[in-house]
Amino acid sequence: MPLGTWLRAGTSAAALVLGMAGTATAAPAPAPAPAPASTASTAQAAVVTLRYDDSRAAGWESAIAAGVASWNANVSSVRLVEAAPGSAAEIVIVATTGWPQATLGPVRPGRQVRVELGSQAVDQGYNKTRIAAHELGHSLGLPDTKPGPCSQLMSGSSAGTACTNATPNTTERSRVQSTYASALAALAPANGRTLVDAP
């Protein structure tokens, strides 16, 4: 083959290879599609935060803190936090001289319920932390389950003065968890009834 033909063939082949290489690198790789959000992360993002004001519950602060800690440790769809001084709160807690009582919830953000921590129960020997956790349970939508065993937080005074359990049982936890995890339930108003926890 004459030299000119070899040169033309070589130049054409080189141009073809270079042209193909340019084409192959010119188009960027498609971006990966975003991964769908998992159900777990969606549930975590939907935690309902409720603020409580215990500024008028002198003498009950440690019992309230322990009751709040118990609920926060046992349910994940709702979280109780102390309201900043002077700010609005969904749960207003006051100390009284009567029997403990509370508005039956479930309370929702922007709405309000009242908890009265009565010294009459303490005078008769009932545990302050159990009382506080029990009354907070009413705010979260749980009614009394009287009479009931000490293992049921919502059995209240019917469990007797020796009972110091301030932890909701499996059924109580499940009910509060599902109440606050439901998007539809967010539209439901609090019951509004006041439950008095005298024996």
Side-chain angles (χ1 to χ4, degrees):
M1 179 181 293
L3 180 60
T5 305
W6 275 104
L7 288 175
R8 281 194 300 276
T11 303
S12 297
L16 179 63
V17 169
L18 289 174
M20 289 177 66
T23 304
T25 57
S38 70
T39 306
S41 63
T42 302
Q44 288 174 353
V47 175
V48 175
T49 300
L50 300 174
R51 297 158 296 174
Y52 67 91
D53 175 6
D54 64 354
S55 61
R56 292 183 287 160
W60 287 86
E61 295 88 352
S62 62
I64 294 167
V68 165
S70 177
W71 278 109
N72 285 344
N74 284 284
V75 293
S76 60
S77 61
V78 62
R79 181 155 187 82
L80 304 176
V81 297
E82 189 169 5
S87 67
E90 285 79 19
I91 305 171
V92 176
I93 307 172
V94 298
T96 69
T97 57
W99 279 97
Q101 56 186 294
T103 311
L104 179 59
V107 65
R108 298 293 169 185
R111 299 181 184 170
Q112 195 172 80
V113 293
R114 181 178 171 94
V115 167
E116 296 184 10
L117 299 176
S119 62
Q120 195 168 349
V122 178
D123 294 343
Q124 292 199 16
Y126 291 97
N127 179 267
K128 288 177 94 170
T129 300
R130 178 172 166 84
I131 293 169
H134 175 92
E135 300 306 327
L136 288 168
H138 287 322
S139 298
L140 299 175
L142 296 178
D144 286 313
T145 54
K146 297 178 181 179
C150 183
S151 60
Q152 290 178 350
L153 176 60
M154 300 315 293
S155 67
S157 60
S158 71
T161 56
C163 179
T164 61
N165 172 43
T167 304
N169 68 14
T170 304
T171 302
E172 293 163 336
R173 291 193 300 266
S174 176
R175 184 164 174 184
V176 171
Q177 181 70 21
S178 63
T179 295
Y180 283 94
S182 168
L184 293 177
L187 304 174
N191 182 290
R193 284 190 299 133
T194 298
L195 303 180
V196 180
D197 287 300

